[in-house]
Amino acid sequence: NIEILNLDMKPGNTLKVKGKISADSVGFSINLGSSSRDLAFHFNPRFNESVIVCNSKRSDSWQTEHRDHHLPFFRGSTVKFFIEMLSDKFRVKLPDGHEVYFPNRHSYHKINYISIVGGLKVISFRL
């Protein structure tokens, strides 16, 4: 698991993530926000449900989740994908070119916090 508290991501920035998904992974998540209690964007591929769940969190309360049933991630594979912060939404470009959009519900202008947890071994990530 990775946790960074001084990320300094702003609209127009793209986070490039490369990693290896463990062979027995049930999923992983990437969380962006101001703290673990306040997330602008929760990106959560779940293998047991064949879905990507996106959500946000305010004061430790999850909000309405968005489910995308396009899951181009596979256990045991190495993946590369991009998370772009725009002023009004987040755009994730998946390994096969498909894109997932999620609104910037709380109008974040700066993301300080990132955590990467679960069955993704990070090879590299760059902002």
Side-chain angles (χ1 to χ4, degrees):
N1 294 352
I2 292 174
E3 191 174 52
I4 295 174
L5 308 176
N6 61 347
L7 186 65
D8 198 25
M9 184 177 191
K10 297 180 177 102
N13 290 158
T14 300
L15 187 66
K16 300 169 181 87
V17 180
K18 184 178 181 184
K20 181 162 175 58
I21 298 170
S22 64
D24 59 352
S25 175
V26 294
F28 64 90
S29 66
I30 297 178
N31 302 293
L32 299 169
S34 57
S35 71
S36 62
R37 301 184 41 154
D38 291 287
L39 299 177
F41 184 45
H42 167 75
F43 177 76
N44 179 211
R46 297 179 184 173
F47 297 109
N48 53 347
E49 297 177 59
S50 295
V51 68
I52 295 174
V53 174
C54 297
N55 206 342
S56 56
K57 191 196 267 191
R58 175 158 273 165
S59 301
D60 233 5
S61 291
W62 288 108
Q63 299 182 302
T64 305
E65 64 182 30
H66 165 78
R67 292 176 158 254
D68 190 314
H69 291 278
H70 182 93
L71 185 68
F73 296 104
F74 303 96
R75 291 180 177 111
S77 67
T78 299
V79 294
K80 189 171 163 185
F81 56 98
F82 307 92
I83 301 174
E84 183 180 7
M85 182 182 184
L86 303 168
S87 58
D88 61 338
K89 63 183 168 272
F90 295 89
R91 178 175 76 162
V92 183
K93 190 169 185 183
L94 300 174
D96 66 350
H98 182 78
E99 294 183 353
V100 173
Y101 294 90
F102 186 77
N104 185 352
R105 291 176 172 163
H106 309 304
S107 302
Y108 276 78
H109 299 295
K110 186 176 173 185
I111 301 288
N112 295 319
Y113 174 86
I114 181 173
S115 69
I116 302 175
V117 297
L120 179 71
K121 182 182 177 208
V122 176
I123 296 167
S124 67
F125 81 92
R126 193 172 86 224
L127 184 61

